[in-house]
Amino acid sequence: MPVVVAEGCMNGKLVIVSDAAGIAAFITSGENGLVFPSGNIDQLKERMIWAIEHREDARRIGKASKGIYEGHFTMELFEKHLLRSMED
């Protein structure tokens, strides 16, 4: 669910999403999250195993995911976009 991913980003956690998720557009795989091809269970498994085996890198990527939240999903930004939509 997009809300779960946004909350993970808000808390600086590593997020792993399929390329079909809308939030994937904000993720650069390996920099601020991990992305796998939708429906590809093997690639999802590989990313999960990688995260377990590379905990320090996973923490670094997770911390970078906070920028996704701050750049796109804060309440202030939501309010700004909502007000802009209402004005149009």
Side-chain angles (χ1 to χ4, degrees):
M1 299 292 295
V3 172
V4 173
V5 178
E7 188 169 340
C9 292
M10 178 179 73
N11 289 293
K13 301 299 180 186
L14 174 65
V15 294
I16 304 173
V17 300
S18 83
D19 58 5
I23 198 166
F26 303 114
I27 296 175
T28 301
S29 196
E31 290 184 24
N32 58 2
L34 299 175
V35 180
F36 67 94
S38 180
N40 191 324
I41 295 169
D42 290 331
Q43 292 233 0
L44 170 60
K45 178 181 82 173
E46 287 175 17
R47 283 164 185 62
M48 294 171 76
I49 290 170
W50 180 91
I52 292 167
E53 292 178 346
H54 300 89
R55 291 180 189 266
E56 200 56 40
D57 289 327
R59 282 188 195 95
R60 177 186 50 77
I61 293 168
K63 287 178 183 177
S65 76
K66 192 163 186 141
I68 296 170
Y69 175 78
E70 292 170 347
H72 302 282
F73 298 106
T74 63
M75 288 306 292
E76 292 81 13
L77 288 171
F78 176 77
E79 179 182 358
K80 179 181 172 181
H81 293 296
L82 179 63
L83 290 172
R84 188 179 311 145
S85 295
M86 292 172 63
E87 290 172 355
D88 291 342

